[in-house]
Amino acid sequence: MILILTPNIEPESSSYQQLIAHLSRLQNIQLRVHREQGSEQSLTEIYLIGDTSAIPVEDMKSLPGVERVVRISEEYRVLGRHRGDQRPSHFDYQGLRFGQDTLHVFAGLCAVDTQEHVELMMKALRDLGQVCTRMGAYKPRTSPYSFQGHGKNCLPYVFELAGKYGIKVIAMEVTHESHIDEINDALRGTGSPTGVMLQIGTRNTQNFELLKIVGRQKEFPVLLKRGFGITLSESLHAAEYLASEGNRKVIFGLRGVKTQLGNPHRNFLDFAHVPVVKRLTRMPVCVDPSHAVGSRTSGPEGILDLMHATAQGVIAGANMVLVDFHPAPNRALVDGPQALLLDELPHFLADVAVAREAYEKRVALAARYAVELQTAGA
Ligand code: PEP
Ligand code: MN
């Protein structure tokens, strides 16, 4: 059960104190308080953990400081959608809104290799009005002998160039808690010219200790990739680990699942799950067509499989696209075969816009038919 308190309630206020005193007397119920400082107001929620089935909602509603009460019957307590639940399905970061109704493209390098490539990539993005990118500094690789990423050494120039080209958010995978400190240090050292979205890769979706650590920091939003060999529900529980530790700025990333049935693609596309994640949870949903398709093959009409996959995700309502580009894919140190060329960026973005427009028309169509059905039934 969640008690949503009146906005801006002060922990020192008498109504808050009375409320906590009352709740603390409930038998076998533990309290977890979550405070979120927004730009305009602070919101406080109290989670009652334990068997709350015998506690009447009306009793809780009448307590001092309580505005609304949500009985959680489903899983995914913090990030899930529950009946009567009007909690937001968006968050703001770096002046951008990330929600279930917005769309951002994060085109960029799978892995940072040279400063020159970072600059070419960011300049191409700036020239097309883009303010987000992906830049891998810490790369989890199948072989220990493969390039592991430049790590903290590349962060200062990546952040400085982001500032120079107006990039506001960089998606960047972390695989160890020390990486968060390194990112923080480099941001501070360069005067925070940009923001970072921490990425948990598919190989770490169930690295629970990493999830807890990343969840405890509230500075950076998190993109959690679906695990490639586990169920959707298991991956959604992983996202809940982040939120239960305090960080609710979580985006859920679909990137295909591993099975021979996906051949000749690298992974089997799972973008039909975009509306499923949006229905079960309040998280914005990202699709990563690059790691799903894995190559630059195209269909007979000349459209790359990767662009078809992107369109499938966007037309189904995806809120973020994470996609590999590279100025010279044959010289990329990671995932060159799936990288799109900078010359292809305008076409890619125009194709995303077509799919987004189609999605918006489909939403309007659904609303129109719902009204017609209602009027016919009335
Ligand atoms: C990546 O986005 O660079 C990556 C390694 O993705 P995934 O974790 O989905 O394989
Ligand atoms: Mn990659």
Side-chain angles (χ1 to χ4, degrees):
M1 185 177 271
I2 310 171
L3 311 189
I4 297 156
L5 308 193
T6 45
N8 300 323
I9 190 165
E10 292 292 338
E12 300 77 29
S13 65
S14 69
S15 50
Y16 186 87
Q17 298 289 335
Q18 278 174 39
L19 175 66
I20 294 292
H22 181 91
L23 296 176
S24 309
R25 287 195 292 273
L26 294 173
Q27 294 286 308
N28 300 323
I29 298 288
Q30 283 172 3
L31 308 183
R32 188 179 283 191
V33 180
H34 181 89
R35 253 175 105 78
E36 192 87 23
Q37 185 59 52
S39 49
E40 275 143 40
Q41 56 185 16
S42 75
L43 290 173
T44 309
E45 293 172 1
I46 301 184
Y47 286 73
L48 305 190
I49 299 166
D51 183 7
T52 56
S53 54
I55 303 177
V57 168
E58 288 310 317
D59 285 10
M60 292 295 110
K61 251 194 205 155
S62 63
L63 294 175
V66 177
E67 188 172 271
R68 276 182 294 126
V69 177
V70 179
R71 191 182 281 292
I72 306 176
S73 45
E74 297 88 356
E75 298 165 297
Y76 325 128
R77 288 181 191 188
V78 182
L79 293 172
R81 275 184 187 281
H82 308 293
R83 204 184 315 201
D85 188 354
Q86 289 151 9
R87 290 176 301 159
S89 54
H90 66 257
F91 61 83
D92 296 311
Y93 180 60
Q94 290 282 110
L96 301 179
R97 174 150 293 196
F98 293 90
Q100 287 197 336
D101 57 354
T102 60
L103 176 63
H104 298 282
V105 176
F106 283 63
L109 306 181
C110 177
V112 171
D113 41 29
T114 67
Q115 188 164 341
E116 184 201 354
H117 289 156
V118 173
E119 179 145 20
L120 286 170
M121 185 72 236
M122 291 192 181
K123 183 173 179 315
L125 290 166
R126 193 269 322 264
D127 291 348
L128 290 163
Q130 298 298 300
V131 293
C132 300
T133 190
R134 57 159 298 150
M135 291 282 153
Y138 308 96
K139 299 305 298 179
R141 304 303 303 279
T142 303
S143 163
Y145 309 114
S146 302
F147 173 63
Q148 307 282 312
H150 287 309
K152 67 175 178 184
N153 295 337
C154 69
L155 298 181
Y157 68 75
V158 168
F159 295 159
E160 271 162 11
L161 286 169
K164 175 170 173 190
Y165 290 104
I167 300 294
K168 295 184 178 171
V169 186
I170 304 175
M172 179 174 280
E173 179 162 353
V174 290
T175 58
H176 190 270
E177 61 177 301
S178 59
H179 301 161
I180 308 173
D181 297 332
E182 291 173 4
I183 289 172
N184 260 317
D185 288 348
L187 277 175
R188 227 172 288 126
T190 52
S192 298
T194 188
V196 171
M197 180 181 289
L198 302 177
Q199 190 175 317
I200 306 275
T202 194
R203 292 159 187 80
N204 274 316
T205 307
Q206 285 189 313
N207 182 341
F208 299 117
E209 297 311 315
L210 180 66
L211 293 174
K212 286 185 205 165
I213 286 159
V214 172
R216 267 175 223 142
Q217 65 77 37
K218 292 199 199 168
E219 167 71 19
F220 305 113
V222 187
L223 167 63
L224 175 83
K225 295 273 199 95
R226 173 189 193 157
F228 55 49
I230 55 177
T231 63
L232 182 65
S233 158
E234 285 163 337
S235 293
L236 295 178
H237 279 295
E240 190 68 17
Y241 261 90
L242 295 163
S244 72
E245 293 293 334
N247 192 335
R248 293 163 172 212
K249 296 182 198 148
V250 185
I251 296 182
F252 189 79
L254 296 169
R255 44 83 71 209
V257 293
K258 211 184 198 50
T259 156
Q260 298 297 331
L261 301 178
N263 294 354
H265 289 161
R266 184 173 172 184
N267 287 285
F268 198 49
L269 215 64
D270 52 355
F271 297 172
H273 278 163
V274 168
V276 179
V277 178
K278 288 170 85 171
R279 177 176 74 242
L280 293 175
T281 77
R282 298 177 292 115
M283 285 186 280
V285 181
C286 170
V287 290
D288 174 347
S290 303
H291 290 82
V293 171
S295 72
R296 295 178 40 81
T297 46
S298 49
E301 71 289 76
I303 301 175
L304 290 159
D305 290 11
L306 229 143
M307 283 176 34
H308 276 298
T310 306
Q312 285 166 26
V314 173
I315 206 169
N319 309 110
M320 171 171 165
V321 177
L322 188 74
V323 56
D324 290 359
F325 272 76
H326 198 285
N330 54 350
R331 281 191 276 140
L333 297 177
V334 186
D335 284 348
Q338 70 194 24
L340 298 183
L341 309 167
L342 296 193
D343 286 349
E344 290 169 325
L345 187 56
H347 180 190
F348 182 85
L349 294 173
D351 202 52
V352 167
V354 168
R356 179 67 182 177
E357 200 184 321
Y359 167 71
E360 281 164 0
K361 283 188 182 155
R362 293 176 63 227
V363 172
L365 197 65
R368 204 169 78 215
Y369 276 100
V371 170
E372 275 181 26
L373 277 183
Q374 231 174 16
T375 343

